Amino acid sequence: MKKLLLALVLILTATASFSQNYTHYLNSWYSDDLYETKEFYYDESYKLIADYWVDKVGEETSVRDSLEYDANGNVTKLSCHQLLNGEWIYANYVEYTYNELNQRLTRDNYNFFGGSFEHGGSYNYQYDENGNMIHHDMYLGTWGLFETADYTYD
């Protein structure tokens, strides 16, 4: 009986310790060929604020992304700077909108061409009554509707 109680206590202790939720923050990611890595940077509350693509051959950063958030912690803007011919340029940005349930409604891409930013495309997202994304439409520049997708859940 004592062995059974001891085994039960060990099982319950192990179950409790293995069922804890852990959060891990990614510091870097390497490409398969190890020639480039993506490094991630966080603020003091562990919110991702930037990531850099680094060419491991020349040890040079080639792309820098930065993120902006709203009061609810949703990403509202992703800005991308690229190193071209030794000069950093503000190459593109993406803006996001959300509804009152913090579900992403739109994603708009803007690309820098010849001195100004041009709208390159949009995504529009739809959700069901349970909050699951069920559909998105993608529009590209002057082409109009380029892609639609429906999502199903088990």
Side-chain angles (χ1 to χ4, degrees):
M1 183 68 165
K2 287 183 181 180
K3 289 182 181 180
L4 179 61
L5 284 174
L6 180 59
L8 186 58
V9 167
L10 287 174
I11 290 170
L12 290 174
T13 303
T15 303
S17 65
F18 288 123
S19 66
Q20 294 178 6
N21 292 325
Y22 293 96
T23 302
H24 299 278
Y25 297 94
L26 192 61
N27 291 323
S28 61
W29 168 89
Y30 291 89
S31 63
D32 290 340
D33 58 13
L34 300 179
Y35 285 122
E36 62 184 358
T37 184
K38 190 167 193 175
E39 299 172 353
F40 301 92
Y41 299 91
Y42 303 89
D43 68 8
E44 62 280 349
S45 63
Y46 298 103
K47 208 179 274 183
L48 181 66
I49 55 171
D51 61 64
Y52 294 178
W53 280 104
V54 179
D55 176 356
K56 296 314 267 182
V57 175
E59 293 294 323
E60 188 172 74
T61 301
S62 58
V63 175
R64 294 187 308 214
D65 294 333
S66 59
L67 296 96
E68 297 175 25
Y69 295 85
D70 64 15
N72 295 321
N74 299 312
V75 174
T76 57
K77 188 173 185 179
L78 170 72
S79 298
C80 178
H81 292 79
Q82 292 180 321
L83 184 63
L84 294 174
N85 300 323
E87 184 178 335
W88 282 101
I89 63 160
Y90 188 11
N92 61 65
Y93 65 93
V94 181
E95 292 182 328
Y96 304 94
T97 62
Y98 300 85
N99 65 16
E100 64 280 352
L101 301 174
N102 292 315
Q103 297 166 323
R104 184 176 293 162
L105 293 178
T106 63
R107 169 189 164 162
D108 287 295
N109 303 333
Y110 297 88
N111 301 303
F112 188 76
F113 295 117
S116 65
F117 284 97
E118 296 179 21
H119 187 252
S122 297
Y123 283 78
N124 297 315
Y125 304 98
Q126 297 173 2
Y127 300 85
D128 67 13
E129 62 279 352
N130 296 319
N132 298 312
M133 184 185 298
I134 57 170
H135 183 82
H136 84 251
D137 292 322
M138 181 176 107
Y139 297 87
L140 285 182
T142 58
W143 293 347
L145 183 61
F146 184 76
E147 171 188 279
T148 63
D150 293 311
Y151 300 89
T152 58
Y153 300 87
D154 292 339

